[in-house]
């Protein structure tokens, strides 16, 4: 048997084994774990001599561990396992192994884990001598540990570490039963063996601290682990603490410039301080350990003295460990101060300790190395939070705390500066720069905390810092380190969050707050300093970011606009690609926000940036085995041309500048013609090659279409339709964009098989719609034909439906004549895509989104009073399919969000097309109609076909209803049935939030049907629906009574209770 197990393990972990053979080996080993005698084979494989290979022994222990952990061994067998493994451990680790080689570290760890599982099962009853046995092994059978049995001592410490991890490590998740067992085991250890174990630590440290660094380090780590849950008095004995302090304070030698043992000793002190205890006891502990003097001596020691810029002897690791100790001490002091119930003498002691340790907090916070700074940020965070609570209680910050704020803020500001050795934008240092930027975010949070404690102090400090830096910049004629300028700009950028918290920088022409006033002064100095000319990309980029963020400053100080506009026009030509592309976006933001204040500068700006408007194509990188990306519809190719994406902002900026009221119409036309002319030429030049499949030509067409659409976006900020408050451009300007729309349409009609062209055209259509308004509506059929080609995906269809909803909402009744002939072919394409099979998760998601958007389209039609198009003579043939599709979605409990919308649609249909409340099908609509009969599964529906349409819009109330003869019976037999079918679906859970929302919509539909049909519906429910459902008569009558007498809100509440009660039956 053991040979089979050995062979199976070897095959399973042999990288050259075949997958089939590996599968058989793993199956055999899985079966072995459940066999009663499998563990015996594993003990033999592990402990035999000569030893098996490590992987065999490791897996054998893992199988044995599984048997112990899952309680597959009875008490007798556990004793057998214990004895066998103890015999092996004594033989190998007992100091008299007769030349037997100790196991490798990985095997030792697995063996320690096995003993730990045995400990959990037997320590309370059956193996009370657990620790005694391993202490004996470590002592080599002698009376003292001084015999220096290194393997035994190492394994003993490994056992202690493993036991801690099993029962006391707070990071290990445990079940309730596991927590109870761990608590019981710790209690017994504290009572039975803790003092004995600590004695071995003292014994060992007293003899071994000058040698065997690895073991001493391991022992100190164990002490740091166990101190959290054993009696602190055991740790604070001289026999243990004196060696620890000697290790912590031992001098650095030239042979050991960085002392890991000393760092571990400091970590042990940190764990001792971190032990949970009452505030008074914690303050006493800090005093007892004399940590203030310990830290002072260590800070003054040679490892922490930096004598030069490249001092390689500065011990960063020691600084970090010491920073952690200071952080822990200060956090505990703050916890004590924050305890309102502590005694006055304890509070006084805590305040004294805080004064003593604050210099060390600031020292490590200000350390040149960011990792050291990070160690004390939690302490500063806690301290500032305590200051805020102190203000809430005492109405003002105590004087002894107020004096700490200014040094803290000063340290935060200086720490935000780039190091002298660092650079900006260097690819080789991107990781370091990213780490620094993350640190800046943390520092910014601290700075905001200071502002929350004392806003006035913060405002004055930043104002003084910014102002003095700009003054030095002017005095030194621009010769300053870019890092100093970067810091001042970095401080300015978020300062506005404080300045605009009252709603804006200005109110009635005056700053809204002291912070707004300070920011105004800083912005004035910024613009006047000519900082935009400083030759460093980081400074120029931040200058633009700040100008855009605080553009409202320029609205109040318009004298600076020409200067800042000139700066931006110059910087959009920057030779640094990161600055140049970002500046295009920022330029667009600036001119968009200041468009009303720019004046007639369009020609000047166009001349200045004309060289940047030329369309250039960057081909996507080819991938192996890729098909034609442009024709098959894999992705939008703009993703491979980030430069062009940024370039589009320039086209929008031109539109913003040129469309202001201060620019004469003829100049607006001239600009539109000047910019669109080259784009028309590009379309004309590349259209034929694109039709022939030239990928570069297709990309040129794509870019030109996107540019035309983006230019149109710049000419108007409104939304399409008669509802918008934004005026359309003048007719001559609109003529230019009508030409653009025609050019885009021609390209789309020729290249509709390319997804990139369809995507670009859809974007352009949305933007041209805003500029042209109703003038684009006659082109809508051509847009639909082009955008919804046979290759269009569900995602494209969904996106287009959103655009169409926007159009319908914008133009309402103007859409009737346009939408009427389009609806049937559009619905046909929607139904085709809805019926396509799904091939994966993405397809399922896209199908769900398309379903919801289709239903939303129907809702938009109803809400905007164009629902007569659904029952017109042109589209009435689709009414049955449309209603059926909505019913299908309403019944589908696997997609409850869609079902909810579907019931909303049914409710709209019932509201608009139902009768007048007494079963009558007469209509009081003001429209003149003819009637047409549609045959369906439940008999004929006679639909009125409107022959005249009012030109006035309405508010979607009952006066706009168009009752359909026979629709009342249709609602009773079809819509009501859908309600109960959905509620009885296995996927419907009335306790689920989404299901309850669906139930609410069903309740509304039920109420609407009753309002429209009256007693006819009540009779049908009582005589047909409820008997078929098997509903008890008493519950049925309760439901019918509620339906008739309660208002909608009360009925919805009743309906949820009714559904929940029935689901429980």
């Amino acid at each position: 048997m053991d040979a089979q197990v050995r062979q199976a393990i070897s095959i399973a972990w042999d990288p050259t084994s075949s997958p089939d053979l590996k599968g058989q080996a793993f199956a055999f080993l899985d079966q072995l774990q459940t066999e009663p005698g499998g563990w015996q084979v594993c003990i033999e494989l592990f402990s035999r001599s000569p030893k098996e290979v490590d992987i065999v022994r490791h897996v054998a222990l893992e199988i044995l561990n599984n048997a112990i952990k899952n309680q597959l061994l009875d008490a007798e067998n556990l004793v057998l396992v214990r004895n066998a493994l103890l015999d092996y451990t004594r033989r190998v680790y007992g100091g008299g192994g007769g030349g037997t080689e100790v196991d490798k570290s990985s095997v030792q760890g697995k063996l320690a884990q096995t003993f730990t599982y045995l400990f959990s099962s037997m320590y309370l009853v059956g193996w009370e001598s657990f620790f005694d046995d391993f202490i004996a092994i470590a002592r080599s059978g002698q009376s003292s540990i001084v015999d220096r049995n290194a393997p035994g001592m190492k394994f003993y410490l490994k056992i202690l570490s493993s036991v801690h991890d099993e029962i006391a490590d707070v990071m290990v998740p445990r079940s309730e039963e596991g927590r109870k067992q761990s608590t019981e085991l710790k209690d017994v250890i504290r009572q039975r063996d803790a003092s004995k174990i600590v004695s071995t630590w003292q014994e060992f440290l007293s003899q071994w601290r000058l040698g065997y660094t690895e073991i001493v380090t391991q022992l100190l780590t164990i002490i740091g682990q166990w101190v959290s849950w054993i009696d602190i008095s055991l740790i604070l004995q001289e026999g243990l603490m004196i060696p620890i302090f000697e290790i912590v304070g031992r001098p650095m030698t030239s042979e050991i410039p960085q002392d890991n043992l000393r760092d571990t000793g400091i970590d042990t002190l940190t764990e001792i301080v971190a032990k949970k205890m009452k505030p008074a006891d914690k303050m006493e502990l800090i005093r007892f350990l004399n940590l203030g003097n310990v830290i002072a001596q260590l800070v003054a020691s040679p490892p922490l003295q930096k004598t030069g810029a490249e001092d390689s002897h500065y011990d960063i690791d020691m600084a970090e460990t010491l920073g952690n100790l200071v952080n822990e001490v200060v956090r505990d002091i703050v916890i004590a101060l924050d305890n309102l119930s502590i005694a006055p003498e304890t509070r006084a002691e805590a305040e004294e300790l805080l004064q003593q340790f604050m210099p060390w907090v600031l020292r490590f916070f200000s350390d040149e190395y960011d990792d050291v700074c990070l160690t004390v940020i939690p302490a500063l965070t806690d301290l500032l939070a305590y200051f805020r609570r102190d203000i809430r209680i005492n109405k003002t910050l105590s004087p002894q705390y107020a004096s700490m704020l200014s040094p803290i803020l000063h340290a935060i500001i200086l720490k935000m500066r780039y190091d002298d050795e660092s650079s900006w934008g260097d690819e080789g240092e991107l990781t370091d720069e990213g780490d620094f930027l993350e640190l800046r975010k943390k520092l910014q949070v601290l700075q905001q905390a200071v502002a929350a404690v004392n806003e006035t102090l913060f405002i004055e400090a930043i104002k003084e810092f910014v102002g003095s830096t700009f003054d030095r910049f002017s005095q030194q004629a621009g010769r300053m380190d870019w890092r100093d300028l970067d810091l001042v700009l970095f401080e300015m950028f978020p300062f506005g969050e404080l300045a605009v918290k009252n709603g804006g920088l200005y109110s009635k022409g005056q700053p809204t707050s002291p912070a707004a006033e300070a920011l105004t002064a800083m912005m004035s100095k910024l613009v006047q300093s000519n900082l935009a000319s400083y030759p460093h990309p980081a400074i120029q980029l931040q200058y633009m970011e700040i100008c855009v963020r605080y553009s409202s400053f320029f609205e109040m100080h318009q004298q600076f606009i020409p200067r800042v506009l000139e700066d931006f026009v110059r910087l959009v030509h920057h030779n640094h690609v990161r600055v140049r592309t970002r500046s295009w976006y920022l330029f667009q933001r600036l001119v968009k926000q200041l468009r009303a204040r720019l004046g007639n500068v369009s020609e000047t700006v166009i001349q200045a940036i004309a060289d940047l408007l030329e369309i250039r194509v960057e081909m996507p990188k080819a991938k192996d085995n890729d098909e034609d990306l442009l024709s098959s519809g894999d992705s939008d190719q703009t993703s491979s041309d980030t430069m062009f994406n940024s370039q589009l902002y320039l086209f929008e900026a031109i539109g913003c500048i040129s469309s202001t009221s201060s620019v004469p119409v003829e100049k607006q036309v001239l600009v539109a013609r000047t910019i669109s002319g080259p784009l028309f030429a590009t379309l004309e030049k590349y259209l034929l090659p694109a039709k022939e499949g030239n990928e570069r030509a297709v990309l040129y067409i794509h870019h030109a279409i996107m540019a035309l659409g983006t230019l149109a976006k710049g000419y108007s900020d409104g939304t399409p339709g008669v509802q918008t408050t934004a005026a359309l451009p003048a007719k001559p300007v609109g003529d230019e964009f009508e030409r653009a729309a025609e050019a885009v349409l021609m390209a789309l009609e020729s290249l509709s098989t390319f997804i990139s062209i369809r995507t670009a055209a859809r974007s352009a259509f949305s933007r041209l719609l805003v500029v042209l308004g109703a003038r684009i509506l006659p082109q809508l059929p051509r847009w639909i034909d082009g955008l919804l080609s046979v290759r269009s995906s569900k995602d494209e269809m969904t996106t287009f439906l959103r655009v169409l909803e926007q159009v319908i909402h914008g133009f309402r009744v103007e859409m009737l004549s346009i939408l009427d002939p389009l609806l049937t072919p559009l619905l046909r394409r929607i139904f085709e895509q809805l019926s396509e099979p799904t091939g994966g998760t993405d397809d399922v998601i896209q199908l769900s989104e398309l379903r919801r958007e289709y239903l939303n389209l129907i809702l938009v039609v109803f809400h905007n009073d164009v629902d007569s198009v659904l029952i017109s003579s042109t589209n009435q043939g689709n009414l049955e399919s449309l209603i059926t599709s909505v019913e299908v979605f309403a019944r589908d409990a696997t997609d409850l969000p869609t079902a909810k919308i579907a019931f909303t649609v049914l409710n709209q249909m019932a509201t608009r097309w139902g009768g007048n409340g007494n079963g009558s099908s007469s209509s009081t609509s003001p429209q003149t109609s003819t009637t047409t009969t549609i045959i369906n599964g439940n008999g004929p529906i006679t639909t009125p076909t409107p022959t005249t349409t009012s030109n006035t819009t309405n508010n979607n109330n009952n006066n706009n209803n168009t009752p359909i003869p026979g629709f009342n019976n249709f609602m009773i037999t079809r819509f009501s049935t859908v309600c109960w079918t959905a509620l009885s679906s296995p996927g419907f859970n009335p306790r689920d939030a989404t299901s309850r929302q669906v139930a609410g919509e069903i309740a509304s539909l039920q109420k609407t049907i009753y309002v429209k049909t009256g007693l006819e519906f009540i009779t049908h429910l009582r005589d047909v629906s409820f008997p078929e459902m098997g509903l008890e008569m008493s519950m049925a009558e309760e439901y019918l009574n509620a339906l008739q007498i309660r208002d909608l809100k009360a009925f919805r509440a009743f309906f949820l209770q009714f559904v929940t009660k029935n689901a429980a039956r």
Side-chain angles (χ1 to χ4, degrees):
M1 181 71 171
D2 58 346
Q4 290 178 289
V5 176
R6 184 193 317 111
Q7 184 182 21
I9 295 173
S10 300
I11 292 172
W13 271 267
D14 185 351
T16 64
S17 300
S18 67
D20 290 342
L21 204 56
K22 276 179 176 285
Q24 295 176 29
F26 278 116
F28 174 79
L29 294 174
D30 288 341
Q31 182 180 358
L32 182 66
Q33 294 189 54
T34 61
E35 289 187 0
W39 59 273
Q40 295 174 318
V41 177
C42 293
I43 290 180
E44 174 65 23
L45 281 174
F46 173 77
S47 58
R48 70 171 40 160
S49 181
K51 295 178 179 179
E52 297 284 353
V53 296
D54 285 343
I55 186 61
V56 172
R57 304 177 74 226
H58 192 281
V59 174
L61 284 178
E62 179 61 35
I63 295 173
L64 182 58
N65 288 349
N66 181 73
I68 299 171
K69 190 174 182 179
N70 293 321
Q71 301 178 352
L72 302 180
L73 279 67
D74 57 23
E76 183 179 352
N77 287 331
L78 285 174
V79 171
L80 291 176
V81 172
R82 179 199 65 185
N83 292 340
L85 293 181
L86 264 181
D87 288 344
Y88 170 83
T89 305
R90 292 188 180 107
R91 186 171 73 247
V92 175
Y93 299 96
T100 304
E101 182 182 1
V102 298
D103 301 315
K104 291 183 179 179
S105 178
S106 60
V107 177
Q108 285 189 38
K110 184 57 68 173
L111 179 58
Q113 186 182 52
T114 305
F115 277 122
T116 302
Y117 288 150
L118 288 170
F119 162 82
S120 297
S121 301
M122 304 176 67
Y123 179 66
L124 297 178
V125 177
W127 196 0
E128 293 83 355
S129 63
F130 177 85
F131 293 105
D132 293 325
D133 290 339
F134 288 103
I135 291 173
I137 291 173
R139 283 176 167 158
S140 307
Q142 304 299 318
S143 61
S144 173
I145 248 169
V146 297
D147 297 285
R148 300 186 178 229
N149 172 20
M153 190 63 194
K154 285 183 179 180
F155 191 72
Y156 167 57
L157 296 178
K158 196 177 287 287
I159 290 291
L160 294 181
S161 179
S162 182
V163 168
H164 166 81
D165 292 343
E166 179 69 16
I167 67 173
D169 190 341
V170 295
M171 301 303 294
V172 176
R174 296 179 177 85
S175 63
E176 183 63 30
E177 182 181 354
R179 285 193 293 272
K180 290 180 180 179
Q181 183 188 32
S182 296
T183 300
E184 187 175 7
L185 287 169
K186 286 187 289 186
D187 288 342
V188 175
I189 290 174
R190 284 189 285 259
Q191 179 182 359
R192 182 191 297 168
D193 289 314
S195 59
K196 187 186 310 177
I197 294 169
V198 173
S199 295
T200 65
W201 300 345
Q202 295 178 7
E203 188 178 337
F204 179 78
L205 283 177
S206 67
Q207 300 294 326
W208 287 47
R209 62 181 178 78
L210 299 180
Y212 291 91
T213 301
E214 179 185 352
I215 299 180
V216 178
T217 301
Q218 186 179 0
L219 174 56
L220 291 174
T221 302
I222 299 297
I223 295 173
Q225 291 175 335
W226 280 57
V227 71
S228 64
W229 56 277
I230 64 175
D231 190 345
I232 188 65
S233 63
L234 295 175
I235 301 295
L236 297 181
Q237 300 178 40
E238 288 187 3
L240 205 59
M241 294 308 302
I242 289 177
I244 291 176
F245 279 121
E246 289 177 347
I247 291 171
V248 168
R250 71 178 192 165
M252 180 189 73
T253 64
S254 58
E255 292 80 12
I256 312 177
Q258 291 186 325
D259 193 340
N260 293 330
L261 178 58
R262 180 184 55 222
D263 294 346
T264 305
I266 297 173
D267 286 336
T268 303
L269 286 178
T270 302
E271 293 298 331
I272 293 173
V273 173
K275 182 175 177 63
K276 295 185 181 300
M277 57 182 66
K278 295 178 180 179
D281 295 336
K282 181 59 67 72
M283 298 304 102
E284 183 181 354
L285 174 65
I286 295 172
R287 289 287 192 192
F288 173 80
L289 295 176
N290 196 22
L291 291 178
N293 290 334
V294 171
I295 292 170
Q297 294 174 17
L298 291 174
V299 169
S301 64
L304 295 186
Q305 301 306 305
K306 192 171 178 64
T307 58
E310 299 296 333
D311 191 345
S312 60
H313 293 296
Y314 186 78
D315 193 340
I316 303 173
D317 292 336
M318 180 181 175
E320 283 189 52
T321 55
L322 204 52
N324 286 325
L325 176 57
V326 170
N327 179 72
E328 188 60 48
V329 171
V330 174
R331 295 190 77 180
D332 284 334
I333 293 172
V334 172
I335 290 173
L337 290 171
D338 204 23
N339 188 332
L340 299 178
S341 61
I342 63 172
E345 55 272 18
T346 302
R347 180 173 298 277
E349 187 174 13
E351 290 176 348
E352 183 181 346
L353 287 171
L354 181 61
Q355 294 289 340
Q356 180 183 4
F357 278 89
M358 271 308 298
W360 307 130
V361 173
L362 295 177
R363 183 260 179 256
F364 290 107
F365 180 80
S366 304
D367 195 280
E368 176 185 349
Y369 295 96
D370 295 343
D371 288 339
V372 178
C373 169
L374 287 167
T375 61
V376 294
I377 286 181
L380 277 177
T381 302
D382 290 352
L383 181 62
L384 292 170
Y386 167 67
F387 287 171
R388 292 185 65 183
R389 290 191 289 271
D390 184 61
I391 292 174
R392 284 200 298 268
I393 295 171
N394 301 319
K395 307 305 179 185
T396 184
L397 187 63
S398 303
Q400 68 269 27
Y401 303 145
S403 61
M404 298 178 183
L405 277 181
S406 186
I408 291 173
L409 179 58
H410 181 69
I412 294 172
I413 293 173
L414 293 184
K415 191 59 191 175
M416 288 183 176
R417 185 182 183 274
Y418 273 93
D419 294 334
D420 290 334
E421 296 82 11
S422 60
S423 59
W424 181 89
D426 188 345
E427 290 188 5
E429 298 185 6
L430 287 181
T431 301
D432 291 339
E433 185 179 11
D435 292 340
F436 174 67
L437 295 179
E438 284 299 315
L439 173 62
R440 266 189 166 181
K441 292 179 181 178
K442 293 181 173 67
L443 296 175
Q444 199 169 351
V445 172
L446 279 179
Q447 194 168 259
Q448 292 168 351
V450 173
V453 174
N454 191 331
E455 184 174 304
T456 302
L457 171 69
F458 174 75
I459 292 172
E460 291 301 320
I462 298 299
K463 181 180 177 181
E464 169 62 25
F465 175 70
V466 172
S468 61
T469 304
F470 283 141
D471 288 342
R472 283 191 292 118
F473 178 73
S474 300
Q475 294 166 5
Q476 298 175 15
R479 293 187 297 272
M480 280 187 68
D481 192 320
W482 70 269
R483 298 169 185 84
D484 295 324
L485 296 174
D486 169 82
L487 177 58
V488 77
L489 294 177
F490 180 79
E491 288 290 358
M492 283 185 65
F493 188 79
F495 187 83
E497 295 175 6
L498 188 63
V500 301
K501 67 179 183 180
N502 294 325
L505 281 179
Y506 302 99
S507 176
K508 298 180 180 179
Q510 297 298 320
T512 56
S513 65
E517 185 176 353
L519 182 61
T520 298
M522 289 188 276
M523 287 296 298
S524 297
K525 286 203 170 190
L526 171 66
V527 179
Q528 292 171 347
S529 68
N530 196 30
L531 193 64
S533 299
Y534 186 86
H536 193 281
I539 306 308
Q540 295 162 336
L541 192 57
Q542 285 205 71
Y543 169 79
M544 291 187 288
E545 296 276 6
I546 290 172
C547 288
V548 169
R549 184 168 201 185
Y550 304 121
S551 59
S552 58
F553 164 80
F554 298 103
E555 294 179 7
M556 295 302 300
H557 300 81
Q558 299 180 30
Q559 69 273 21
F560 293 127
I561 291 179
R563 183 169 189 168
V564 75
L565 194 60
E566 180 182 346
D567 291 337
F568 270 69
V569 169
R570 184 179 72 257
L571 291 173
V572 295
H573 292 85
H574 204 283
N575 56 6
H576 194 292
V577 63
R578 180 173 167 186
V579 178
R580 184 169 66 252
T581 53
R582 180 65 177 173
S583 69
W584 295 348
Y585 164 73
L586 294 172
F587 178 62
Q588 177 268 334
R589 287 279 309 279
L590 183 74
V591 299
K592 185 174 183 179
Q593 293 169 7
L594 298 179
R595 64 190 304 176
R597 308 284 194 277
L598 294 178
N600 188 6
V601 297
S602 56
E603 289 185 80
T604 305
V605 172
I606 291 173
Q607 292 173 4
I609 68 172
D611 58 313
L612 301 175
L613 300 178
E614 181 182 353
I615 296 294
R616 293 185 176 89
V617 161
E618 176 187 339
M619 292 299 296
K621 294 180 180 179
K623 296 182 180 179
D624 295 339
N625 302 322
D626 272 1
E627 298 180 356
D628 182 356
L629 292 175
L630 291 173
S631 61
S632 61
D634 286 22
S635 65
D636 182 359
Q637 290 309 303
T638 57
S639 62
S640 66
D641 195 350
T642 54
M643 185 68 73
F644 173 70
N645 288 336
S646 298
Q647 189 182 21
L648 288 174
Y649 292 116
L650 294 177
F651 287 96
E652 184 176 351
I654 292 296
C656 290
I657 294 173
S658 306
S659 58
T660 63
S661 57
S662 59
V663 180
V665 172
E666 57 272 16
K667 284 194 175 181
Q668 294 187 33
V669 172
L670 178 62
V671 170
R673 189 172 298 164
T674 301
I675 302 300
S676 60
L679 300 176
F680 291 158
T682 299
L683 291 173
E684 184 177 358
K685 177 180 178 180
Y686 290 102
L687 186 59
L688 184 58
K691 291 171 68 173
E692 295 173 352
N694 185 295
E695 294 184 9
R696 179 173 291 273
V698 172
L699 210 47
Y700 266 111
I701 298 293
H702 167 274
H703 286 9
I705 293 174
M706 290 294 294
L708 284 169
T710 308
L711 178 66
K713 180 183 178 183
Y715 266 81
S716 178
D717 285 332
T719 54
V722 296
Q723 312 296 319
T724 180
T725 58
L728 294 175
K731 184 179 184 304
V733 179
D735 292 341
E736 295 300 317
F737 286 106
E738 198 164 9
R739 289 178 55 214
E742 184 62 32
V744 173
L745 264 177
M746 291 177 61
L748 175 63
E749 289 169 339
S750 300
L751 304 171
S752 62
T753 56
F754 296 91
I755 185 175
S756 62
I757 301 301
R758 296 196 302 271
T759 302
R762 185 170 59 247
S763 174
F765 171 73
S766 299
R767 293 163 176 184
L768 288 165
L769 183 64
V770 180
V771 178
L772 293 175
R775 296 175 65 175
I776 204 172
L777 295 183
Q779 296 178 341
L780 191 58
R782 295 170 61 194
W783 283 103
I784 292 178
D785 286 338
L787 294 174
L788 300 181
S789 73
V790 292
R791 298 194 181 190
S792 296
S793 65
K794 293 182 179 66
D795 192 47
E796 286 184 87
M797 174 67 79
T798 300
T799 305
F800 176 77
L801 291 181
R802 294 191 184 109
V803 176
L804 185 58
E805 291 162 14
Q806 182 186 22
V807 176
I808 294 172
H809 175 72
F811 297 101
R812 290 196 172 186
V813 295
E814 293 183 59
M815 282 293 297
L816 277 173
S817 60
I818 303 295
L819 192 59
D820 191 48
L822 297 178
L823 188 61
T824 292
L826 176 62
L827 289 175
R828 186 181 303 117
R829 295 185 185 186
I830 294 173
F831 291 154
E832 288 173 358
Q833 293 209 350
L834 288 173
S835 62
E836 290 178 359
T838 55
T841 303
D842 290 343
D843 281 351
V844 171
I845 293 173
Q846 290 185 7
L847 179 60
S848 296
E849 290 177 347
L850 178 57
R851 286 176 171 180
R852 288 193 282 272
E853 214 53 56
Y854 160 63
L855 294 172
N856 282 329
L857 175 65
I858 301 174
L859 284 178
V860 168
V861 167
F862 276 108
H863 290 161
N864 290 280
D865 304 324
V866 291
D867 53 286
S868 59
V869 74
L870 299 174
I871 55 176
S872 68
S873 58
T874 306
N875 301 300
Q876 58 189 347
N878 294 300
L879 185 59
E880 172 67 18
S881 300
L882 184 146
I883 294 175
T884 300
S885 67
V886 177
E887 290 175 328
V888 169
F889 299 151
R891 284 193 294 263
D892 186 2
T894 63
D895 187 0
L896 291 173
T898 302
K900 176 179 178 293
I901 303 173
F903 277 111
T904 304
V905 172
L906 293 177
N907 199 10
Q908 282 293 317
M909 291 179 177
T911 301
R912 289 300 184 95
W913 298 338
N916 58 10
N918 54 15
S920 171
S921 60
S922 62
S923 172
T924 59
S925 172
Q927 298 174 331
T928 304
S929 308
T930 60
T931 59
T932 305
T933 300
I934 302 173
I935 304 299
N936 61 79
N938 292 288
I941 299 178
T942 306
T943 64
T945 304
T947 56
T948 63
T949 305
S950 170
N951 289 326
T952 60
T953 59
N954 52 57
N955 297 316
N956 193 23
N957 54 40
N958 289 335
N959 292 332
N960 303 309
N961 294 350
T962 309
I964 300 176
F967 197 77
N968 282 359
N969 184 63
F970 187 87
M971 291 189 298
I972 292 172
T973 57
R974 291 273 292 268
F975 288 5
S976 182
T977 301
V978 171
C979 295
W980 303 111
T981 302
L983 292 171
S984 62
S985 172
F988 183 87
N989 178 8
R991 291 178 175 80
D992 171 70
T994 308
S995 294
R996 292 175 70 84
Q997 292 177 353
V998 175
E1001 294 301 321
I1002 293 175
S1004 297
L1005 178 57
Q1006 288 276 300
K1007 190 68 175 179
T1008 301
I1009 296 175
Y1010 168 72
V1011 169
K1012 292 293 182 179
T1013 63
L1015 292 177
E1016 185 179 354
F1017 183 43
I1018 299 298
T1019 302
H1020 182 84
L1021 289 174
R1022 179 184 289 114
D1023 298 343
V1024 180
S1025 298
F1026 290 160
E1028 289 178 353
M1029 294 163 53
L1031 189 66
E1032 296 178 3
M1033 183 58 66
S1034 60
M1035 296 191 67
E1037 290 300 327
E1038 180 185 10
Y1039 179 86
L1040 296 175
N1041 183 57
L1043 181 62
Q1044 294 177 77
I1045 67 173
R1046 300 195 185 197
D1047 61 18
L1048 178 59
K1049 181 178 180 180
F1051 178 71
R1052 284 171 66 103
F1054 165 82
F1055 190 82
L1056 290 173
Q1057 296 175 355
F1058 179 82
V1059 171
T1060 304
K1061 186 189 302 183
N1062 275 278
R1065 290 175 176 269

